[in-house]
Amino acid sequence: MSIENAVPRATPKPAAKHKPMSGWFLACVVLAICIWGGNWPVMKIGSQFISPLWFAASRFFSAAVLSFAIAFAIGKLRLPTRREWPVVIGVGVLQMGLFTALVTGALHFVMPGRASLIAYATSIWVVPGAALVLKQKLTQQQSLASVCSYAGIAVIVLPALLHADLHSMVGYLMLGAASLSWAANILQIKLTPGVKLDFDLLPWQTLVAALPLCVLAFAFEGAPAFLLDHHSWYVIAYTGPLATALTFLVVLQMTQRLSPVTVSVCMLGVPVVGLTLSSLFFGERLSSDLLLGMGLLCLGLALPALPSFGWRRVALRTRFTMKRVLKA
């Protein structure tokens, strides 16, 4: 199911109505958010014995090998079409390769809890981008969700930025660039209607991400000596096949099915999970500002689903009931 009404052509039109998420797809989204939230502590652990570029390269190379094998086994291995290649390259370079390389490097400077929030704060860029580039008008629920998200981000990030030293500021700048990279890819996908982000394209997207990362890793970090450490294989198994091959497919489906604002707000569930796990594994203190910010983010996460699962369903049932009463 693809959305083919991302950009008005000649005259401005009202915002497109996106199909509501089914219960099964919602469960997949929640699972993907939990897996990605858990990926942050795993990446922090892996950063202790795997260099940043090799970490990112091994993640996508392992995901590419697995996805190519699965695509071949189920008969879905094919070359992307000319229309699909720009999206494949955009996802591989912006959302996978550049984003992961930046956040992996940033974890050498900052703790994973707040870091995950800044990296996934794509709504900072997507909300104005959807209005300016896609000419989309926000619904009341999207507007309120965006306000809650911005407030939650501000409450969590600003105290850290005000007290950050030069070392930490480098990490925060890298995370901000990663967030911008992903936001640009979200808008690119919405500007390319008619391209279905199914499993057929995932092997090529991961390969596009892996190849330049491997070249850069060889050039700047030398041979992958970390492969001799058996602990690295556990980390790669989680970050590659599980947190990339499986999870990216769900998130790319979200990007295509839902509005850009809803996607960017939903992705803030990842740092909520990341912050919670970081406090458990690394002792990152859940201070009052973190708890308040997480509460605002959770509120922002719930609001986009209300038109699909709450108010819209109630309205339809009410209308159906009224029709039956009038006929009777």
Side-chain angles (χ1 to χ4, degrees):
M1 290 185 296
S2 62
I3 295 174
E4 303 194 12
N5 50 8
V7 187
R9 297 296 180 182
T11 58
K13 297 180 181 179
K17 292 183 179 180
H18 299 269
K19 294 182 180 180
M21 290 186 290
S22 65
W24 170 250
F25 186 64
L26 178 62
C28 291
V29 169
V30 173
L31 178 62
I33 288 174
C34 291
I35 291 174
W36 261 1
N39 195 42
W40 282 85
V42 173
M43 288 193 298
K44 181 66 175 179
I45 294 171
S47 66
Q48 299 173 10
F49 47 85
I50 307 176
S51 55
L53 287 175
W54 271 122
F55 201 158
S58 61
R59 174 181 180 178
F60 289 106
F61 185 78
S62 61
V65 170
L66 178 64
S67 55
F68 267 106
I70 294 175
F72 178 78
I74 64 177
K76 284 199 169 186
L77 184 60
R78 65 173 180 85
L79 280 171
T81 65
R82 181 179 298 181
R83 183 175 179 79
E84 290 170 338
W85 269 117
V87 176
V88 169
I89 294 172
V91 171
V93 173
L94 295 174
Q95 186 176 152
M96 292 184 175
L98 183 58
F99 177 88
T100 304
L102 287 170
V103 299
T104 305
L107 288 176
H108 289 265
F109 300 93
V110 294
M111 292 293 287
R114 291 183 191 265
S116 63
L117 176 89
I118 300 174
Y120 282 92
T122 54
S123 58
I124 293 176
W125 318 104
V126 169
V127 171
L132 295 174
V133 179
L134 304 180
K135 309 299 181 185
Q136 287 191 350
K137 185 177 180 180
L138 302 185
T139 65
Q140 291 182 346
Q141 287 70 42
Q142 288 176 333
S143 300
L144 186 56
S146 299
V147 171
C148 292
S149 300
Y150 273 109
I153 292 167
V155 168
I156 294 176
V157 174
L158 288 181
L161 292 178
L162 292 175
H163 299 91
D165 54 18
L166 181 60
H167 185 266
S168 300
M169 191 60 69
V170 171
Y172 290 133
L173 289 175
M174 294 175 71
L175 293 166
S179 176
L180 177 59
S181 175
W182 191 343
N185 184 238
I186 291 176
L187 296 177
Q188 181 209 9
I189 291 173
K190 303 307 293 185
L191 284 167
T192 314
V195 175
K196 295 182 66 176
L197 296 174
D198 292 331
F199 188 80
D200 304 44
L201 300 182
L202 185 62
W204 301 100
Q205 291 162 347
T206 51
L207 184 64
V208 166
L211 289 180
L213 285 171
C214 286
V215 172
L216 290 173
F218 265 114
F220 292 99
E221 297 175 353
F226 67 90
L227 293 176
L228 299 176
D229 188 341
H230 70 279
H231 294 97
S232 65
W233 289 96
Y234 299 115
V235 173
I236 293 170
Y238 186 98
T239 60
L242 184 61
T244 303
L246 172 64
T247 315
F248 261 107
L249 183 60
V250 177
V251 174
L252 289 172
Q253 287 289 310
M254 283 178 59
T255 305
Q256 194 163 51
R257 294 186 184 197
L258 308 177
S259 72
V261 175
T262 302
V263 173
S264 63
V265 171
C266 285
M267 281 296 95
L268 288 174
V270 175
V272 171
V273 176
L275 277 167
T276 304
L277 294 177
S278 180
S279 67
L280 294 175
F281 288 101
F282 301 105
E284 191 170 359
R285 189 171 65 90
L286 289 177
S287 56
S288 57
D289 60 321
L290 282 176
L291 292 174
L292 176 59
M294 288 173 66
L296 289 168
L297 290 178
C298 289
L299 180 59
L301 284 169
L303 287 170
L306 292 180
S308 299
F309 287 93
W311 300 342
R312 183 180 298 175
R313 183 170 295 178
V314 171
L316 289 174
R317 288 181 177 176
T318 303
R319 186 183 303 174
F320 178 74
T321 304
M322 290 297 295
K323 286 182 178 180
R324 293 188 63 179
V325 170
L326 290 174
K327 286 181 179 180

